[in-house]
Amino acid sequence: MHGTPEARALHAQYPAIDLHADSLMWARWVGYDLQERHEPPLPLAALGGHVDVPRLREGGVGAQFFGLVSLPIGQRRGLAAVVEEQIDLLEQAVRARPGRLVKALTAEDIEAARARGAVAALLGVEGAHALEGDLDTLARFARRGVRYLGLCHFTANEACYPAYGSGRRDGEGLTAFGREVVRLAEDLGVIVDLAHINRAGFLDACALARRPPMVSHTGIAGAFEHWRNIDDDQLRALADRGGCAGIIFCPLYLGGNGLAPVVKHLVHIINVAGEDTPALGSDWDGFIIPTRDLRDAAHLPLLTDALLRAGLSERVIAKVLRENVMRILSDNPLPTRLPVA
């Protein structure tokens, strides 16, 4: 067991919510079993093997958002079909061990999972290229329980341009289709995720937003300058719309290994954008080597210990662990009835 009794007590009271792990990608490629305990590849815990239900429970994680990746790596059919396959795999994992992992849509579902002693699993698409230029695909994803849509990944798509990668155009914001996607996502209760998008598109989406957006996994340029990280103006624009930013656990974007850089990025968010803005966005299983102290989900209480040592109050830590994401879920309510294709 990792972490002090004080940290573990906080996780018991405020089970953490992580905004991004790519475990379903590995389930699709190599049959990775979310229900079985794995050991991350040592010594670097490289690339994957960071998340499973036993280690989520050990680490005091109450809810995990699973990213639905549809880059052409290993692709068998169209991009939307790849997303659907990963949703199928999550549902299979839920059925395999009833009561340990439950598919969730709302803050209320997360609380219900907690009451049952289960981990809640939520879904987010990484990149609007998965829509294949069709708004009806977004509605279909919403009907299957997708709760956020990342507008971009490492390639340009019909909606926007990446901060880095193929098709990069730094001066261009959302396309006309991208603006339609943002509007429809909000109507469907799908949170707009601004990870990976270029600065112009990010600010466009914040200006357009009627409901709180998020950045599911990112670093902060004010803590460490890097193309992957968002700047203070982006943070303020996000906070002005009531959004949150999940801090990634990758040293490459944090500017160093260990817990101190993670704390530095979280504290910078608080100082610039307020305590309602920071969250956790590990990017576990996402082709990253996580910072050594957070090499898998079981180690998350070590970060809570570090936040306590940094002088953060229990109230603020509760927001970082859980409450900010719960609020954003509630502020992006599902419609009474989703449209039928």
Side-chain angles (χ1 to χ4, degrees):
M1 302 291 280
H2 304 283
T4 64
E6 185 176 8
R8 300 200 65 81
L10 275 174
H11 280 251
Q13 189 172 1
Y14 306 104
I17 301 174
D18 179 55
L19 287 173
H20 194 83
D22 288 319
S23 316
L24 294 174
M25 172 179 68
W26 295 102
R28 178 174 176 267
W29 285 349
V30 298
Y32 186 82
D33 187 348
L34 283 174
Q35 293 284 7
E36 296 298 324
R37 186 183 181 91
H38 304 266
E39 289 299 326
L42 297 176
L44 297 178
L47 305 183
H50 310 138
V51 170
D52 52 49
V53 172
R55 284 180 292 165
L56 288 168
R57 296 174 73 171
E58 183 179 329
V61 180
Q64 178 67 61
F65 279 81
F66 291 101
L68 301 168
V69 182
S70 61
L71 289 176
I73 305 168
Q75 182 175 326
R76 295 195 297 273
R77 297 192 294 277
L79 299 172
V82 174
V83 167
E84 300 263 16
E85 288 175 15
Q86 291 169 85
I87 298 173
D88 291 343
L89 287 167
L90 175 65
E91 293 176 349
Q92 289 171 24
V94 168
R95 290 194 298 269
R97 301 285 290 275
R100 284 167 42 108
L101 182 70
V102 298
K103 187 178 176 184
L105 299 178
T106 65
E108 292 76 16
D109 291 343
I110 293 173
E111 287 290 1
R114 175 187 182 182
R116 295 172 54 189
V119 174
L122 298 97
L123 295 168
V125 172
E126 189 164 24
H129 53 277
L131 304 181
E132 299 176 314
D134 188 347
L135 293 173
D136 288 342
T137 304
L138 178 56
R140 188 168 81 243
F141 289 164
R143 288 194 297 274
R144 295 211 62 190
V146 166
R147 281 312 320 264
Y148 72 67
L149 172 70
L151 296 181
C152 213
H153 202 190
F154 285 117
T155 59
N157 61 60
E158 295 88 349
C160 59
Y161 303 94
Y164 182 84
S166 175
R168 176 180 172 181
R169 297 184 189 178
D170 291 347
E172 298 194 32
L174 295 179
T175 67
F177 179 72
R179 291 190 289 273
E180 288 186 85
V181 167
V182 169
R183 287 295 191 215
L184 179 59
E186 291 183 332
D187 290 343
L188 295 171
V190 175
I191 301 162
V192 174
D193 175 21
L194 302 176
H196 289 288
I197 195 172
N198 68 358
R199 188 176 189 275
F202 186 110
L203 295 175
D204 276 356
C206 287
L208 192 62
R210 299 166 298 174
R211 300 191 184 280
M214 67 165 58
V215 189
S216 61
H217 56 304
T218 190
I220 305 301
F224 178 68
E225 188 68 37
H226 193 280
W227 64 260
R228 178 70 174 80
N229 296 345
I230 62 175
D231 64 30
D232 288 356
D233 287 340
Q234 289 171 282
L235 269 180
R236 294 186 188 101
L238 182 72
D240 285 347
R241 290 294 183 266
C244 74
I247 289 300
I248 200 168
F249 294 167
C250 180
L252 178 65
Y253 308 129
L254 295 170
N257 216 324
L259 295 169
V262 186
V263 173
K264 181 180 179 181
H265 284 246
L266 288 166
V267 169
H268 188 90
I269 294 177
I270 293 168
N271 291 339
V272 170
E275 64 190 41
D276 293 335
T277 310
L280 306 177
S282 67
D283 204 19
W284 281 319
D285 289 337
F287 278 101
I288 68 163
I289 300 172
T291 195
R292 58 178 173 262
D293 298 296
L294 299 173
R295 61 182 177 269
D296 68 7
H299 286 74
L300 188 60
L302 296 179
L303 176 59
T304 301
D305 275 324
L307 294 173
L308 287 166
R309 290 194 299 270
L312 273 66
S313 69
E314 291 189 1
R315 176 179 57 82
V316 172
I317 292 173
K319 290 186 175 186
V320 173
L321 290 179
R322 181 181 180 89
E323 298 304 317
N324 288 341
V325 177
M326 293 287 274
R327 172 181 53 80
I328 286 172
L329 281 167
S330 296
D331 287 348
N332 282 271
L334 297 174
T336 303
R337 182 175 182 181
L338 288 168
V340 177

